[in-house]
Amino acid sequence: MNAVAAAAAPLVLRAEGVVKTYGEGEAQVHALRGVDFDLREGELVVLLGASGSGKSTLLNILGGLDVPTGGRVFYRDVELTHADESALTRYRREHVGFVFQFFNLLPTLTLADNIGLPCLLAGLPEAEVEARTRALASRVGITHRLSHYPQQVSGGEMQRAAIARALVHRPALLVADEPTGNLDSANGATVISLLAELNRELGVTILLATHAADVAAAAHRTIHMRDGQMVDAPAGMPV
Ligand SMILES: Nc1ncnc2c1ncn2[C@@H]1O[C@H](COP(=O)(O)OP(=O)(O)O)[C@@H](O)[C@H]1O
Ligand SMILES: [Mg+2]
């Protein structure tokens, strides 16, 4: 998506002055110190920053897994910062897919069952869940692994299954927190190109956090984070 198209696309997420503080008094940690951020439909945005810069905290708040200490967050026209727990749960289930560094697959389920689980829990008919699972597994290249358990497949395959699981309920937004953090560089590169392809093919909006600068090559926009704030890329500074 080029800059002109991105500017015209509807807003998916908006953060206004988002603050997150952990702890009290001397032990206080300022994880986010006032973040303003817009994410538009169809974008693939990378948050790039060192460990501890606040990336996960921000993703968790935007994905409805956590609430900020201050500021406001909107998903389309809905203010998440005023939503109650059940509305936040519905937001996560219906609109967001999550991909994590450690895959978070259930070890006692096959890859097929891991992928289909969110839709089964949402009450979709079994045949529909199976059809969606097969189509996504084929798209991410793990059809031959569907009856395997997570511990029987490679890290790259686990992450591809996790991506399929994150998309099976057809969310508008995919949030990926260090999706290559536990992969070697070849598998990491495969996962990033796959996410970029899915962004283009399905139109799913992607917000991805990483400390690895090379991952940013796939992004429409890269936002640098440092000490709980979004900053302009400091010339020559490691991030
Ligand atoms: N649950 C928590 N309790 C206390 N401090 C936390 C908690 N979660 C994160 N932090 C702190 O907030 C800061 C930002 O963390 P995080 O968002 O995980 O950064 P990143 O994902 O960029 O590594 C760090 O200083 C971290 O130690
Ligand atoms: Mg993190």
Side-chain angles (χ1 to χ4, degrees):
M1 165 181 294
N2 64 39
V4 176
L11 270 182
V12 175
L13 283 175
R14 162 162 281 180
E16 292 177 0
V18 168
V19 169
K20 182 72 180 185
T21 309
Y22 292 106
E24 307 257 312
E26 300 251 309
Q28 247 184 18
V29 176
H30 299 281
L32 296 175
R33 301 167 183 265
V35 168
D36 297 306
F37 172 61
D38 280 353
L39 182 66
R40 289 181 182 274
E41 211 165 88
E43 282 197 293
L44 195 178
V45 170
V46 166
L47 289 180
L48 184 60
S51 173
S53 59
K55 305 179 299 293
S56 294
T57 302
L58 183 60
L59 290 193
N60 290 344
I61 289 172
L62 296 176
L65 291 169
D66 200 356
V67 291
T69 315
R72 305 173 77 183
V73 175
F74 298 85
Y75 173 74
R76 301 193 190 279
D77 296 332
V78 180
E79 182 163 4
L80 298 179
T81 21
H82 284 167
D84 60 20
E85 189 48 50
S86 72
L88 269 188
T89 302
R90 211 167 342 108
Y91 163 62
R92 287 195 304 268
R93 279 203 195 137
E94 291 175 12
H95 302 289
V96 190
F98 292 95
V99 175
F100 300 100
Q101 176 173 358
F102 295 103
F103 324 128
N104 295 20
L105 297 170
L106 294 174
T108 57
L109 296 183
T110 62
L111 295 194
D113 289 344
N114 265 287
I115 295 169
L117 190 63
C119 280
L120 274 187
L121 293 177
L124 254 73
E126 241 173 85
E128 170 69 15
V129 175
E130 204 181 308
R132 288 190 187 195
T133 297
R134 293 223 142 258
L136 273 170
S138 159
R139 181 58 193 85
V140 303
I142 55 163
T143 300
H144 59 304
R145 295 290 194 220
L146 276 177
S147 59
H148 288 65
Y149 291 87
Q151 67 273 20
Q152 298 174 317
V153 306
S154 72
E157 287 167 336
M158 281 196 258
Q159 197 59 305
R160 283 186 271 153
I163 290 168
R165 176 189 55 184
L167 294 172
V168 74
H169 60 301
R170 300 181 177 159
L173 173 67
L174 184 75
V175 170
D177 195 354
E178 304 274 7
T180 65
N182 206 34
L183 300 176
D184 61 38
S185 57
N187 276 305
T190 305
V191 159
I192 294 302
S193 1
L194 179 60
L195 289 173
E197 288 160 20
L198 291 166
N199 165 257
R200 282 196 300 272
E201 289 168 20
L202 308 176
V204 61
T205 305
I206 299 183
L207 181 60
L208 186 159
T210 182
H211 65 275
D214 55 336
V215 166
H220 300 133
R221 256 194 309 146
T222 301
I223 295 170
H224 295 256
M225 288 199 70
R226 181 150 38 100
D227 297 333
Q229 286 179 311
M230 292 181 168
V231 293
D232 294 332
M237 284 268 297
V239 286

